[in-house]
Amino acid sequence: MAKYVFITGGVVSSLGKGITAASVGTLLKKRGFKVSIIKVDPYLNVDAGTMNPFQHGEVFVTDDGAETDLDLGHYERFIDEPLCSENTVTTGKIYARVIEKERRGAYLGGTVQVIPHITNDIQERLVQAGEGRDVVIVEIGGTVGDIEGLPFLEAIRQMSNRVGRENVIYCHVTLIPWLEAARELKTKPTQHSVQELRRIGILPNILVCRTSHPMDEDMKNKIALFCTVPPEAVIEVPDEPTIYNVPLSLYHRKLDSLILKYLSISCEKEPDLSDWALVVDRFMNAPKSVEIALVGKYIQHKDAYLSVVEALYHAGISHNVKVKVRSVESTDVETQGVEAMLSGADGILIPGGFGSRGIEGKIATVRHARENKIPLLGICLGMQMMVIEYARNVCRLAGAHSQEMDPATIHPVIHLMQDQVGLDKLGGTMRLGAYNCDLVAGTAAARAYGAERISERHRHRYEFNNTYRQRLEDAGLKVSGICTERDLVEIVELPAHPWFVGGQFHAELKSRPIRPHPLFVAFVGAAIENQEKN
Ligand code: GLN
């Protein structure tokens, strides 16, 4: 039976609970355990699919098509395993199932209540996720004391009864703030947050203390005394220069061995973290750098393109160069021109996005990259813009558009397919999750992947319109990847260009620090060559 590590957060949000959970996952997996990670989000949305990137950052998509919180991306990158819809739980998802059961009469006329029906549903999901696993790590989103988090805290409190006290530990991530006026670290907020946890029946076993200044032994002993944990369980975690260092840092602070000790799991094997050490070393000390312009439409939110930026870093690490990302707002390209916004970039990446704002700036960006032979990687919306730009400016197809930009277009080279029309409130079902893609031999895509068939994740409504395929191909835009089962164009490229590749899928979602994505590796490689040429 699985054992559980519950990770809660106190004092403030954004303490890095997600990275802590992911790093614990890395360490336990490297010690040979079968690990799963679950993110619990106390919001009422059933999933993250409808959430605005300006508010919530990127939506991470799993192979089975779940639209999830971006923490799942951290988990996948850190534990190097694909996750699925089971790994994400929201209040909305729980209530939807309980209410659906109530309507079916599954509760036999009983009164349906938060306790036990909601809390039981939560626990059933946690138990199910434990099947075939040694350890399940569960991160509770939000901060202790939030009203909406209470049913989840109650459920994890009850888990110690359900699976046995010895199979459950609670790890509380908290802040020890530095007061400049007093020139002192303060423990009181942590004491209060632990009191709040105790009030609802949870006694934390381990405190992960985030600090900006080093803690001395006296302070650790004080926290231990007031929070009823052994001094060894007060783990100080300073800010790290890169998140990739967190698994190494937590290992040196013995968080993983403490977790195993408290869960009574014996383990002789020490984790081999040499690959992570190499990642950190190269990320911090790469001798050269390249600059990639990221031309997006949600750039004010630092996490809106999180996985794209991570994938660029991973590719940089594999080439031992530092990737500097220049964030460019595509509407600024429209108002200030391509030269002002893009000159000097060694490569250009146009990521995914929704809606028509900023589209013309992206099309102008594609033209700039195509005509000036700057390496270009287009992702989803980016790939669609590459097709439109080619249709307009090379094929001279007047009125070439995407139906998303203008539903009444003359030449919708990117269109909504008939079987998608009107199927949901937003005007079409999304193609979500993993699809196979066959690569055309001899193309840049096939060279990058070194494979004939790949699988990538999707999240979009619009597709390349096959009506125009022949005209575009005749004009030199090569189709190099096809979803054969559905006859859909997945990758386009320009053989007459140093590196110009667009994919209908989100390649960034499968990149890992220790296993960078082949398309990103090839793209960054081309950007390095471009820099060397100039
Ligand atoms: N908005 C486009 C579509 O729905 C692209 C989506 C995306 O980039 N993820 O097809």
Side-chain angles (χ1 to χ4, degrees):
M1 196 187 54
K3 304 213 177 211
Y4 290 82
V5 179
F6 294 112
I7 301 195
T8 54
V11 184
V12 291
S13 57
S14 307
L15 281 178
K17 269 189 319 230
I19 300 291
T20 306
S23 302
V24 169
T26 309
L27 295 174
L28 296 182
K29 190 179 168 194
K30 291 262 184 194
R31 281 180 181 267
F33 295 106
K34 289 205 206 75
V35 181
S36 187
I37 311 197
I38 297 179
K39 174 75 193 281
V40 168
D41 277 305
Y43 48 66
L44 281 166
N45 305 59
V46 173
D47 61 34
T50 52
M51 289 180 145
N52 184 336
F54 278 129
Q55 264 181 40
H56 255 269
E58 82 172 5
V59 173
F60 191 82
V61 182
T62 54
D63 279 337
D64 65 349
E67 296 174 278
T68 76
D69 186 86
L70 51 77
D71 268 323
L72 260 81
H74 287 311
Y75 299 168
E76 282 204 357
R77 288 188 282 271
F78 275 62
I79 67 170
D80 191 20
E81 261 181 50
L83 301 174
C84 66
S85 67
E86 269 186 15
N87 298 85
T88 157
V89 175
T90 68
T91 299
K93 200 172 180 182
I94 304 282
Y95 273 78
R97 187 159 88 174
V98 170
I99 291 171
E100 182 271 321
K101 274 166 81 179
E102 187 274 334
R103 293 289 82 189
R104 256 197 292 124
Y107 298 110
L108 302 171
T111 309
V112 183
Q113 293 174 301
V114 173
I115 306 171
H117 300 98
I118 295 295
T119 45
N120 279 352
D121 193 272
I122 298 169
Q123 290 176 69
E124 279 153 25
R125 289 173 195 264
L126 301 182
V127 169
Q128 205 181 345
E131 277 165 23
R133 305 284 164 169
D134 301 312
V135 182
V136 181
I137 300 160
V138 184
E139 178 195 347
I140 310 292
T143 308
V144 167
D146 298 346
I147 292 174
E148 57 267 43
L150 279 173
F152 289 106
L153 294 174
E154 172 59 14
I156 66 169
R157 184 190 71 78
Q158 291 182 13
M159 278 293 282
S160 74
N161 274 18
R162 186 183 278 238
V163 300
R165 201 165 286 256
E166 65 287 2
N167 295 321
V168 166
I169 61 162
Y170 302 95
C171 188
H172 192 52
V173 183
T174 177
L175 177 71
I176 311 289
W178 171 260
L179 265 201
E180 192 51 47
R183 301 207 55 76
E184 242 184 358
L185 288 170
K186 289 291 180 189
T187 65
K188 194 69 83 188
T190 294
Q191 293 178 40
H192 281 302
S193 130
V194 170
Q195 267 166 22
E196 184 64 19
L197 265 182
R198 282 209 300 247
R199 199 178 60 77
I200 49 183
I202 295 173
L203 251 175
N205 305 84
I206 297 174
L207 296 176
V208 171
C209 300
R210 297 294 315 278
T211 65
S212 54
H213 289 68
M215 275 162 53
D216 58 24
E217 283 307 305
D218 283 351
M219 177 150 287
K220 284 189 190 165
N221 290 337
K222 182 175 165 190
I223 294 171
L225 183 67
F226 282 109
C227 300
T228 332
V229 295
E232 64 171 3
V234 179
I235 310 257
E236 173 191 351
V237 180
D239 298 340
E240 295 290 346
T242 155
I243 57 170
Y244 305 132
N245 204 37
V246 179
L248 298 159
S249 161
L250 294 182
Y251 173 68
H252 290 307
R253 290 160 207 281
K254 303 198 170 28
L255 179 61
D256 57 330
S257 35
L258 207 60
I259 287 173
L260 293 172
K261 179 172 150 190
Y262 291 173
L263 286 173
S264 312
I265 302 175
S266 57
C267 176
E268 299 292 296
K269 185 176 170 196
E270 288 295 316
D272 175 6
L273 295 172
S274 48
D275 46 5
W276 282 86
L278 184 70
V279 163
V280 173
D281 181 48
R282 286 192 164 188
F283 183 76
M284 299 300 297
N285 306 317
K288 285 196 312 183
S289 64
V290 283
E291 191 179 18
I292 304 295
L294 177 68
V295 184
K297 58 187 290 185
Y298 316 112
I299 57 155
Q300 295 101 307
H301 195 291
K302 75 170 186 15
D303 288 338
Y305 301 109
L306 182 67
S307 294
V308 172
V309 173
E310 286 288 314
L312 285 171
Y313 289 161
H314 305 162
I317 288 164
S318 78
H319 287 288
N320 201 16
V321 301
K322 177 134 195 107
V323 173
K324 290 192 180 145
V325 177
R326 183 197 305 180
S327 293
V328 176
E329 169 59 52
S330 52
T331 49
D332 290 345
V333 177
E334 291 166 12
T335 52
Q336 298 174 43
V338 279
E339 274 304 325
M341 301 311 297
L342 300 171
S343 71
D346 302 309
I348 299 174
L349 192 154
I350 307 181
F354 290 85
S356 55
R357 183 180 61 81
I359 287 281
E360 292 301 333
K362 294 191 179 196
I363 294 174
T365 301
V366 174
R367 182 174 202 161
H368 174 77
R370 182 174 58 78
E371 290 180 345
N372 294 291
K373 302 221 178 294
I374 302 166
L376 175 67
L377 172 58
I379 289 178
C380 206
L381 182 68
M383 171 269 199
Q384 297 174 352
M385 295 310 111
M386 289 160 82
V387 175
I388 291 171
E389 193 278 328
Y390 211 76
R392 274 193 200 171
N393 298 331
V394 182
C395 299
R396 302 261 167 234
L397 210 57
H401 257 64
S402 157
Q403 281 183 338
E404 184 174 28
M405 303 154 64
D406 169 10
T409 46
I410 313 168
H411 293 294
V413 286
I414 301 297
H415 71 157
L416 200 59
M417 298 204 319
Q418 273 313 307
D419 58 356
Q420 283 171 281
V421 175
L423 285 179
D424 75 8
K425 60 186 183 306
L426 298 168
T429 48
M430 289 254 215
R431 182 145 74 104
L432 282 169
Y435 286 83
N436 288 329
C437 169
D438 293 306
L439 302 178
V440 177
T443 58
R447 273 196 302 282
Y449 281 98
E452 289 172 4
R453 172 167 265 217
I454 55 160
S455 167
E456 293 284 5
R457 297 180 189 170
H458 292 250
R459 180 176 184 248
H460 54 98
R461 289 192 182 82
Y462 296 87
E463 300 282 354
F464 182 105
N465 185 347
N466 283 334
T467 312
Y468 298 97
R469 179 168 165 186
Q470 198 57 52
R471 281 174 82 164
L472 285 157
E473 289 223 80
D474 289 346
L477 188 74
K478 175 115 188 117
V479 170
S480 55
I482 297 155
C483 176
T484 315
E485 289 96 347
R486 303 189 48 179
D487 194 26
L488 292 171
V489 169
E490 304 281 44
I491 311 180
V492 295
E493 60 183 71
L494 264 188
H497 186 285
W499 210 89
F500 185 97
V501 179
Q504 184 57 81
F505 42 79
H506 287 272
E508 74 275 18
L509 302 178
K510 290 180 75 172
S511 183
R512 315 270 165 87
I514 52 174
R515 225 149 35 82
H517 192 284
L519 266 192
F520 279 79
V521 172
F523 167 60
V524 171
I528 296 169
E529 272 177 36
N530 181 38
Q531 184 191 56
E532 282 163 0
K533 239 180 18 224
N534 291 324

